[in-house]
Amino acid sequence: MKKLIAALTGLTMLAFCVGCGSDNSSSSGTESGATKDGKEITIGYSQLGAESEWRTAQTESIKQAAKDAGINLQFSDAQQKQENQIKAIRSFIAQGVDLIAFTPIVETGWDTVLKEAKDAGIPVVIVDRDAKVSDDLYVAKIGTDSVAEGRKAFEWVDQYMKEQNKTPRGGGDQYQIAVLEGTVGASVSLGRSKGFNEAMQAAEDGSKYTIAMSQTGEFTRQKGQEVMESFLKSGGRDTIDILFSQNDDMALGAIQAIEAAGLQPGKDIVIVSVDGVKGAFQAMIDGKSNCTVECNPLQGPLLMETAKKILNGEQVDKMVYMDEGVFPAEVAEKTLPERKY
């Protein structure tokens, strides 16, 4: 009887460990598993949510890469709430995972929980977005260069406006730019704004451009549509020359608003966005958008590779960027079949 009770108690504790945290799920490889000191590697990963096609692709990449590497992945979806991410990280610490990775919703507010992870001897990797924390609270950051993405977006716009001999729709000598920003306080939003603005200021003819309207669209298609409708109704219908959308999903929503206003997206209003998802390529093929700057979400293999190096005691770079390109409309039809997200 004592043996039966002990067995049942063990099973109960195991079920609790697997189920604790917010919306946690786990996956591990069917091939020979990655190990540390002869034991299966377990990584706790906190994703910020599922606000876009891009984010879904990133999540799928991480889950598949863990499976391929034979790593046990404890996954938690924070549903766009920082408090959920903090709870998930604390749950990972309590479980004693080998490594914690997370994509921060916002830049600040992580010091306390990451100090807890450090005190527990668990290395931390920051993925995709940035977090403003001391260097000793994380081992590596992997992801994309949001400042470079913003810079590339303006440089493409500047070249395109010259090549097409565009003139301001509202008259005068300045192109009017509307900006759909991402989540307030997110490093990727701040970075893309910084890169775009710095490139505009540094351009030889940067004085020909002005940002007339700028507001968050929260990285979602619905909010992008709503904000663009507001831009158009508040005087932008006859004056906006360029839309810079900080992700493709907001741009796709904005296209609906532009069409509803009786304008031609991609012609009356030049559209450049960031991410490089299939929907943006299709919009370019349909003549409704002009360019997308790639932000590569397929970060799973790099994360698993980096994690294994860290757990093996190898040195890794503090910051590792993904390779990214710029895709104007003229290459969309040829490129779309090659896209993985």
Side-chain angles (χ1 to χ4, degrees):
M1 185 66 179
K2 288 182 180 179
K3 291 182 180 180
L4 178 59
I5 291 172
L8 289 172
T9 301
L11 287 171
T12 301
M13 291 179 67
L14 177 61
F16 174 77
C17 289
V18 171
C20 65
S22 172
D23 296 324
N24 280 3
S25 61
S26 64
S27 62
S28 61
T30 54
E31 302 175 5
S32 58
T35 61
K36 177 190 176 187
D37 300 328
K39 297 180 180 178
E40 182 184 42
I41 290 175
T42 296
I43 293 177
Y45 175 67
S46 174
Q47 177 61 283
L48 60 84
E51 81 286 358
S52 64
E53 291 180 46
W54 191 97
R55 188 64 56 196
T56 299
Q58 188 211 23
T59 293
E60 290 175 353
S61 174
I62 289 170
K63 288 182 175 180
Q64 186 61 50
K67 195 171 185 178
D68 293 343
I71 289 174
N72 177 34
L73 182 70
Q74 296 295 317
F75 181 89
S76 178
D77 183 342
Q79 299 178 344
Q80 300 293 335
K81 294 181 180 179
Q82 186 179 27
E83 59 265 32
N84 288 346
Q85 287 199 293
I86 292 172
K87 288 178 183 177
I89 292 171
R90 286 189 170 133
S91 172
F92 296 150
I93 294 170
Q95 293 178 55
V97 301
D98 297 300
L99 181 141
I100 292 171
F102 76 113
T103 298
I105 295 172
V106 294
E107 283 191 324
T108 58
W110 305 104
D111 298 78
T112 300
V113 72
L114 295 191
K115 177 68 162 51
E116 292 170 17
K118 181 182 178 182
D119 291 343
I122 301 174
V124 171
V125 176
I126 298 171
V127 184
D128 179 40
R129 295 187 179 181
D130 199 5
K132 288 185 176 179
V133 294
S134 301
D135 285 354
D136 63 334
L137 295 181
Y138 68 94
V139 180
K141 294 178 181 178
I142 67 173
T144 59
D145 189 340
S146 57
V147 175
E149 290 158 2
R151 183 181 68 248
K152 290 173 184 177
F154 176 79
E155 289 172 349
W156 178 86
V157 163
D158 189 29
Q159 181 180 354
Y160 182 80
M161 300 305 275
K162 291 174 185 175
E163 290 175 351
Q164 299 298 314
N165 294 315
K166 292 277 190 177
T167 56
R169 295 174 60 232
D173 56 2
Q174 281 188 314
Y175 298 117
Q176 306 292 300
I177 303 173
V179 180
L180 285 172
E181 302 171 16
T183 305
V184 175
S187 63
V188 67
S189 304
L190 298 170
R192 288 171 187 170
S193 293
K194 184 176 187 287
F196 191 89
N197 293 339
E198 287 181 349
M200 184 168 64
Q201 293 167 7
E204 183 178 349
D205 55 356
S207 61
K208 292 182 179 179
Y209 300 88
T210 185
I211 295 178
M213 303 174 179
S214 186
Q215 185 176 325
T216 178
E218 300 175 0
F219 281 138
T220 69
R221 190 174 303 196
Q222 180 179 348
K223 192 67 175 179
Q225 181 178 355
E226 291 174 5
V227 175
M228 193 66 201
E229 287 173 353
S230 176
F231 285 166
L232 296 170
K233 289 177 181 177
S234 58
R237 186 189 183 282
D238 299 318
T239 59
I240 295 174
D241 299 292
I242 300 158
L243 171 64
F244 170 43
S245 176
Q246 292 186 354
N247 84 340
D248 290 337
D249 278 71
M250 292 189 296
L252 295 172
I255 286 170
Q256 292 178 280
I258 293 168
E259 289 181 316
L263 298 173
Q264 291 183 289
K267 295 179 182 176
D268 293 321
I269 297 177
V270 174
I271 300 175
V272 59
S273 56
V274 182
D275 274 355
V277 301
K278 290 181 178 180
F281 280 82
Q282 189 59 56
M284 289 190 288
I285 292 170
D286 295 339
K288 297 180 180 182
S289 189
N290 305 91
C291 181
T292 183
V293 176
E294 185 177 39
C295 178
N296 192 339
L298 306 181
Q299 300 167 4
L302 180 59
L303 172 58
M304 300 308 149
E305 177 186 345
T306 302
K308 285 193 285 186
K309 286 181 178 179
I310 291 169
L311 295 173
N312 286 333
E314 300 176 36
Q315 288 293 319
V316 297
D317 291 335
K318 201 69 174 178
M319 182 69 234
V320 184
Y321 289 126
M322 302 287 292
D323 292 329
E324 300 173 320
V326 177
F327 299 92
E330 54 265 30
V331 304
E333 189 168 5
K334 179 182 178 181
T335 308
L336 177 58
E338 304 168 1
R339 303 303 291 173
K340 296 180 179 179
Y341 55 92

